[in-house]
Amino acid sequence: MDNQDRFKQAYRCIPFSKSKNSDLEFGDKILMPVSALHELMKRETPYPWLFQIKKYYNPVRVSHCGVLEFTAEEGSIVVPDWMMENLNLQQGELVMVENALLPAGKYLKLQPHSTRFIQLSNPKAVLEKNLRNFSCLSTGDTLMITHNDEKFFINILETKPGPAICLIGTDCEADFSSPLDYKEPDKVEQNAPAEIEKKENEERTVFRPFMGKGRRLDGEPVEMVKDDNLSTTTTTTGGCAGGSTTTLGSRKKRGTLVFGSKGIETKTPKRSSDGDDLEVEEKQVQKFQPFMGKKNVLGKRSL
């Protein structure tokens, strides 16, 4: 279409919330005056009728929209509130509206503002239902959709095959990016259970010898006393009369197990009539000597 045949007109914008058609603000369609319909038909503008909308003065941003009805007052158009926010428009501000030919959309990348949207039971179904109210989308727009009387705002991060696409009569793939308020879980807290489990496993696998408690045959408790000065371990079986104390000297080499009484010395103190120690006599335990008996022969003297 030649530039001379394109529809192009300036209008004063009014938000849907300030008009009697406030229930029509969901979607991207605007209301235009009936004179616009005559101009479009006169120029034989191809369907679907899609428009580029921007500020008349200092057009920093550009958006696109469709048309719902031709019932607006002459010289003005009625625009959804979210679209006016995207374009930073004030009520009554002058805008330029020009018809546009947009390619069929193939791909959308969206970013919800809130994690609440992706927590819905089926966010893609909710999105598909709401996008039926949209005829086109532009990269950089922030559109508003509703679900169960709850409003959700979604950024349009990318559109393919162009910066603005038509959604009428096409299958468009949608992809979601992380919501604006999404926060990564704390790595320290995330790894804490694993660290605790690892530590518990290590504690279970460490070998701790002789951790059990001693038991006496008569049921009396056994108290373990460690004497650091003598480097000995004393096992006290006391608590009742006749209890005994056994002291194992540190003469034994550590790491060596010794069986029997071989090599163990005993000291027997001699006491006077008044109870004082006089001397200590050491006796060596006699060694076991096998086969020391005498041989006897029947009818003969012993050998």
Side-chain angles (χ1 to χ4, degrees), residues 208-225:
R208 294 183 174 88
F210 309 114
M211 293 300 291
K213 295 182 178 180
R215 294 290 187 272
R216 290 179 51 183
L217 294 177
D218 58 3
E220 292 294 332
V222 178
E223 180 181 359
M224 302 298 294
V225 181

Side-chain angles (χ1 to χ4, degrees), residues 30-193:
I30 63 174
L31 301 183
M32 303 181 71
V34 66
S35 59
L37 173 62
H38 296 158
E39 287 293 326
L40 290 169
M41 296 179 64
K42 178 180 178 180
R43 298 173 185 274
E44 298 181 353
T45 304
Y47 188 83
W49 290 340
L50 304 177
F51 304 91
Q52 180 190 87
I53 181 172
K54 58 185 178 181
K55 281 187 174 184
Y56 189 85
Y57 302 104
N58 191 21
V60 178
R61 298 191 59 182
V62 175
S63 188
H64 294 80
C65 61
V67 58
L68 180 63
E69 297 175 353
F70 295 92
T71 57
E73 297 181 0
E74 289 296 331
S76 66
I77 58 173
V78 185
V79 182
D81 291 50
W82 66 264
M83 188 177 295
M84 295 192 65
E85 292 180 4
N86 285 341
L87 298 175
N88 195 22
L89 293 172
Q90 302 297 326
Q91 181 177 352
E93 191 170 354
L94 195 63
V95 295
M96 178 63 70
V97 179
E98 182 179 357
N99 73 291
L101 298 176
L102 302 179
K106 300 297 181 184
Y107 175 78
L108 276 175
K109 188 171 184 180
L110 310 173
Q111 183 181 40
H113 285 198
S114 173
T115 54
R116 170 75 182 118
F117 179 76
I118 62 176
Q119 291 172 352
L120 297 176
S121 59
N122 194 343
K124 287 193 174 183
V126 174
L127 179 66
E128 181 180 357
K129 178 181 178 181
N130 279 268
L131 287 183
R132 294 172 185 171
N133 298 323
F134 291 79
S135 54
C136 56
L137 291 175
S138 304
T139 301
D141 278 353
T142 299
L143 55 90
M144 182 187 68
I145 63 176
T146 60
H147 179 67
N148 292 337
D149 298 330
E150 189 174 359
K151 295 181 180 180
F152 297 97
F153 293 91
I154 299 178
N155 293 339
I156 310 297
L157 300 182
E158 185 180 1
T159 58
K160 292 181 180 180
I165 57 175
C166 175
L167 298 180
I168 299 176
T170 183
D171 293 329
C172 190
E173 179 184 356
D175 190 15
F176 289 95
S177 182
S178 300
L180 288 178
D181 63 349
Y182 177 77
K183 294 181 180 180
E184 290 288 343
D186 192 350
K187 293 184 179 180
V188 175
E189 295 180 357
Q190 191 175 18
N191 295 333

Side-chain angles (χ1 to χ4, degrees), residues 260-278:
S261 60
K262 181 179 180 180
I264 298 180
E265 298 179 354
T266 60
K267 297 181 180 180
T268 304
K270 291 184 178 180
R271 300 179 180 272
S272 61
S273 60
D274 56 358
D276 295 335
D277 294 344
L278 299 178

Side-chain angles (χ1 to χ4, degrees), residues 188-201:
V188 175
E189 295 180 357
Q190 191 175 18
N191 295 333
E195 293 295 334
I196 295 175
E197 183 178 359
K198 181 179 178 181
K199 185 176 181 181
E200 291 177 351
N201 292 335

